[in-house]
Amino acid sequence: MKKRFLLFCVIAVTLALHPAFPKDESQFLMQAPSDQASIDAGKQLYEQKCIWCHGEKGDGKGITYNRVYPKPRDFTKGTYKIRTSPSGQIPTDYDIYRSITKGLTGTTMYAWEKALSDKDRWNLVAYVKTFSPRFKSEQIAKEQLLTYHKPGEKGEPYPGNPGKADAALLKQGEQIFHDPNGAKCFQCHGDHGRGNGVSADTLTDDWNNKIWPADLTKSFAYRGGDTAEDIYRDISTGLSGSPMPSYNGALDADQAKDQQKRWALAYYVKSIQQPRKLGALVKAVHLTGDLPADPNDPKWDKIDWIDIPMAGQVIAEPRQFIPSVDNISVKACYNDKNVAFLVTWNDRTKNTAAAKDKFPDAAAVQFPVQIPPDPAQSAKPYFVMGDADHPVDLWSWSADQDKVVEMNAHGMDKIETKPASGSVVAKTVYDDGMWKALFTRPLTTSSKDRDLQFEVGKFIPIAFSIWDGNNGETKEKHSLSAWYYVLLLPPTSSKVYIAPVIAIFIGVGLQLWAAKKARTYFTSV
């Protein structure tokens, strides 16, 4: 008990020393060292850790420039997205420190919190500031910062934070989000926040790079954090260098009402985030009767999913370093005859035909032709379309044909269509920035040398590929997953339901018998 108490104390002290936000407002005003020794130490670290993306001159033109999205920050402009300072102004030293410490999720900007000491990170801030003369010529008054609290103002870390959202606040935020005469958030982010608004495909940043609005449903991809407080900060200060403006003072002429509306909008955006359920196993549940007839069948609502991260295919030319699809969700079920997989992914544009530099959207589900006897020890096919010794069974769907072509592959350079293709049926729906693809196939087929034969209770490797045609993805250029597993869960036995009922009756019977015995005993006494 004493050990547990000591452990609790250590954790509490650690959290107090390393809060998600500074508890003291003055900590936001912390400054980097300005002595030459600290700047030189920061330069040495920069040339070891940062130069590859941000470049020798700090202009963001490192060797990775053409292989990452979004582009690395150009420090020479003094323009930073994640800030507590007003729109158009330089960030505070703590703003830069926070980005170095926490990283920027959804980008290649690493979180250096555990890799570099606190002193090293502050030295980096000191050196990064030398790339822009603005840090010598411009000053920020603490009263201008979003963190500034007037006497008596409450809310952490920013004034006015309600701390939680009720239905009325979320409704107000939703109205602001969809107001065509107000914030107009939907014009870029789309009606459901998937980054597919009418303006989405037209946006560029201050360096004339193509830029997409954030998919607000993906909590794991928010650059500066996904809390309501993080969202409020970005709404209030804007993301300098991008088309995202500051809404501080834009929602209401009354300052207090404007602040309250920004909090309402922040909590609404937080509410549309979808939870990410990572895992290694797709659990296919057994259904009695018919399987779901289409991607929107209500039967899917009762089936759990897992999220599978996607990455660009960089093994062979032509490589895809900047894929647009970074996550898919997968559900599965089966009955006595067939198995069905529902694959869902967000795609800001619907492409059903080839055009200049654009191609049809597509998806593929991949299995080994033979189930490995031991999933932990047996060799699986190479995850990129199999290999010479371990072929894969491919179900390939494309939006232009809207049907599945079944193939076998022994590697990316040896893919062949099966002589008899047609056992896999696909039904797809595209709705407001989201593809849903339903793949259905009989559990077993007559082509055992070419088709995977599904077996209940076996761990079966499964992998996925997605092509975003608007992103120029076709053939080898696409996003893909590693191998995961699908398990057809055995049907639930009726004993599972009957046994507890029997146990309850037995328990009740024993209690009644004991009570009767007790009454008899005391009556006789």
Side-chain angles (χ1 to χ4, degrees):
M1 187 67 180
K2 186 178 292 185
K3 289 183 178 179
R4 290 183 180 179
F5 177 73
L6 290 173
L7 178 61
F8 172 79
C9 292
V10 171
I11 293 172
V13 171
T14 302
L15 291 175
L17 293 174
H18 298 86
F21 291 101
K23 294 299 182 184
D24 184 350
E25 185 180 322
S26 64
Q27 288 185 269
F28 282 104
L29 303 176
M30 293 174 66
Q31 293 187 335
S34 57
D35 61 284
Q36 194 58 47
S38 296
I39 293 173
D40 290 343
K43 179 181 180 181
Q44 185 176 4
L45 279 169
Y46 181 91
E47 292 176 347
Q48 293 173 355
K49 308 291 186 182
C50 315
I51 197 171
W52 317 108
C53 291
H54 295 286
E56 182 180 0
K57 300 177 180 179
D59 58 1
K61 297 292 180 67
I63 59 175
T64 67
Y65 180 78
N66 290 320
R67 296 182 176 181
V68 297
Y69 176 86
K71 300 301 182 186
R73 178 58 45 201
D74 176 359
F75 297 133
T76 65
K77 305 294 184 183
T79 301
Y80 290 72
K81 285 184 177 180
I82 311 302
R83 313 169 330 282
T84 54
S85 57
S87 178
Q89 294 197 20
I90 57 174
T92 67
D93 289 5
Y94 186 84
D95 289 334
I96 303 174
Y97 169 83
R98 183 191 183 282
S99 293
I100 292 172
T101 300
K102 299 297 183 182
L104 300 178
T105 52
T107 78
T108 52
M109 176 59 191
Y110 182 67
W112 293 98
E113 187 170 20
K114 295 182 179 180
L116 296 177
S117 69
D118 190 71
K119 181 180 179 180
D120 285 342
R121 283 175 271 142
W122 277 113
N123 288 342
L124 269 177
V125 175
Y127 179 66
V128 165
K129 289 171 60 181
T130 66
F131 286 118
S132 174
R134 294 182 62 188
F135 288 97
K136 290 184 177 180
S137 61
E138 299 179 23
Q139 299 293 326
I140 308 171
K142 69 176 184 179
E143 291 81 7
Q144 293 178 289
L145 298 179
L146 194 64
T147 55
Y148 178 71
H149 288 65
K150 296 177 182 178
E153 275 193 317
K154 298 181 180 180
E156 291 290 346
Y158 311 119
N161 186 359
K164 60 181 180 179
D166 56 22
L169 189 73
L170 294 179
K171 184 65 176 179
Q172 182 187 21
E174 181 180 14
Q175 291 171 346
I176 295 170
F177 187 93
H178 292 96
D179 184 358
N181 300 312
K184 304 177 184 178
C185 306
F186 69 97
Q187 288 191 352
C188 290
H189 295 286
D191 289 336
H192 290 89
R194 297 182 185 128
N196 64 314
V198 293
S199 302
D201 201 14
T202 66
L203 304 178
T204 57
D205 64 16
D206 285 4
W207 295 265
N208 206 35
N209 296 310
K210 175 75 176 178
I211 191 170
W212 289 96
D215 183 338
L216 301 176
T217 66
K218 296 179 178 179
S219 61
F220 61 88
Y222 279 57
R223 305 290 187 250
D226 65 346
T227 68
E229 292 81 7
D230 294 324
I231 299 167
Y232 174 81
R233 177 201 60 226
D234 294 344
I235 290 171
S236 299
T237 65
L239 301 180
S240 293
S242 82
M244 174 65 187
S246 164
Y247 284 95
N248 193 347
L251 301 181
D252 200 292
D254 182 274
Q255 186 177 8
K257 291 181 180 179
D258 181 79
Q259 182 188 80
Q260 188 274 334
K261 288 181 178 180
R262 279 181 277 132
W263 278 115
L265 181 57
Y267 275 97
Y268 169 70
V269 170
K270 174 66 179 175
S271 75
I272 65 175
Q273 295 173 1
Q274 298 298 311
R276 198 181 197 193
K277 297 183 180 180
L278 298 176
L281 183 64
V282 179
K283 298 178 182 178
V285 299
H286 181 265
L287 300 182
T288 57
D290 295 333
L291 295 181
D294 60 67
N296 290 323
D297 192 310
K299 292 177 183 177
W300 288 116
D301 297 338
K302 298 179 180 180
I303 298 175
D304 203 4
W305 79 92
I306 69 164
D307 287 304
I308 295 178
M310 305 293 285
Q313 188 288 115
V314 295
I315 305 299
E317 292 285 357
R319 296 178 172 89
Q320 177 54 296
F321 289 100
I322 310 176
S324 61
V325 178
D326 55 9
N327 189 85
I328 63 172
S329 298
V330 182
K331 296 182 177 184
C333 60
Y334 74 101
N335 59 16
D336 295 338
K337 296 181 179 179
N338 300 308
V339 62
F341 295 88
L342 180 63
V343 184
T344 304
W345 68 98
N346 288 4
D347 185 342
R348 294 180 176 90
T349 58
K350 179 182 181 181
N351 287 69
T352 58
K356 183 180 179 182
D357 299 326
K358 297 182 180 181
F359 305 91
D361 296 330
V365 186
Q366 173 180 286
F367 306 92
V369 173
Q370 302 293 332
I371 300 175
D374 184 346
Q377 302 294 331
S378 303
K380 296 188 290 289
Y382 190 53
F383 75 103
V384 186
M385 305 296 176
D387 54 71
D389 297 324
H390 305 91
V392 294
D393 182 2
L394 282 174
W395 305 350
S396 180
W397 166 87
S398 63
D400 57 341
Q401 301 292 327
D402 198 23
K403 67 177 184 180
V404 172
V405 176
E406 298 175 54
M407 298 180 286
N408 289 122
H410 290 78
M412 296 185 72
D413 58 348
K414 193 175 180 182
I415 303 174
E416 58 182 4
T417 302
K418 296 177 184 178
S421 182
S423 61
V424 181
V425 176
K427 293 185 178 180
T428 59
V429 173
Y430 182 86
D431 180 36
D432 195 26
M434 175 186 287
W435 274 111
K436 292 183 179 181
L438 168 60
F439 297 86
T440 305
R441 202 208 77 173
L443 292 170
T444 60
T445 71
S446 58
S447 301
K448 300 187 186 304
D449 58 333
R450 289 182 173 271
D451 299 340
L452 170 74
Q453 307 298 305
F454 288 93
E455 296 183 43
V456 176
K458 292 290 185 70
F459 287 89
I460 304 170
I462 185 172
F464 303 87
S465 294
I466 301 291
W467 288 259
D468 178 2
N470 193 71
N471 197 36
E473 296 179 8
T474 184
K475 298 181 180 178
E476 290 83 0
K477 290 189 69 174
H478 62 282
S479 60
L480 47 72
S481 76
W483 281 117
Y484 285 73
Y485 288 95
V486 58
L487 175 67
L488 276 61
L489 299 173
T492 303
S493 171
S494 59
K495 293 180 181 179
V496 173
Y497 303 102
I498 296 173
V501 175
I502 295 174
I504 291 172
F505 276 111
I506 292 174
V508 172
L510 288 173
Q511 290 182 16
L512 292 173
W513 177 82
K516 183 178 180 181
K517 282 289 186 181
R519 285 196 300 271
T520 303
Y521 171 77
F522 285 111
T523 301
S524 62
V525 171

